[in-house]
Amino acid sequence: METACRQSAEILVSTYNEPLITSEWALAVFKEAKAAGLMTGYVSNGNGIARSTAISASWLDIFKIDLKSFDDRHYRQLGGRLKPVLDTIRKPL
């Protein structure tokens, strides 16, 4: 947090891997970020877990979905499915 503030950052974002699998950690960080006056957000692959997004939603300012394709075959090649990603995109926080 100190580095973000020292660098005049405006937002702290949880990304890399899949931030929804570390929601408890992100929530603790987001609380500190909010107290420091920063905005917070996730960059997610979109395979959202309802409980994880519900836990963090009140602490999020943005939620970006990294949509890889509109082709389900492509998602399956990546080890996923398109429908859960689209469902996450459609779901309000």
Side-chain angles (χ1 to χ4, degrees):
M1 225 56 57
E2 293 171 14
T3 302
C5 291
R6 197 170 44 251
Q7 296 293 323
S8 300
E10 295 180 14
I11 187 167
L12 185 84
V13 177
S14 178
T15 187
Y16 191 65
N17 201 347
E18 173 49 44
L20 294 177
I21 63 174
T22 58
S23 288
E24 292 83 7
W25 171 84
L27 180 60
V29 172
F30 288 168
K31 286 179 180 180
E32 287 188 34
K34 288 293 196 177
L38 298 169
M39 292 188 300
T40 60
Y42 277 141
V43 176
S44 170
N45 65 20
N47 284 294
I49 303 166
R51 182 178 172 272
S52 295
T53 55
I55 290 170
S56 304
S58 62
W59 297 95
L60 288 173
D61 294 297
I62 65 165
F63 190 97
K64 180 188 178 285
I65 303 297
D66 187 8
L67 180 65
K68 305 291 186 199
S69 171
F70 276 107
D71 181 355
D72 189 59
R73 286 178 294 162
H74 182 235
Y75 264 94
R76 290 182 187 275
Q77 289 173 344
L78 297 171
R81 294 181 305 120
L82 177 59
K83 184 179 181 321
V85 176
L86 295 177
D87 290 346
T88 300
I89 291 170
R90 288 183 187 109
K91 181 184 174 207
L93 283 179

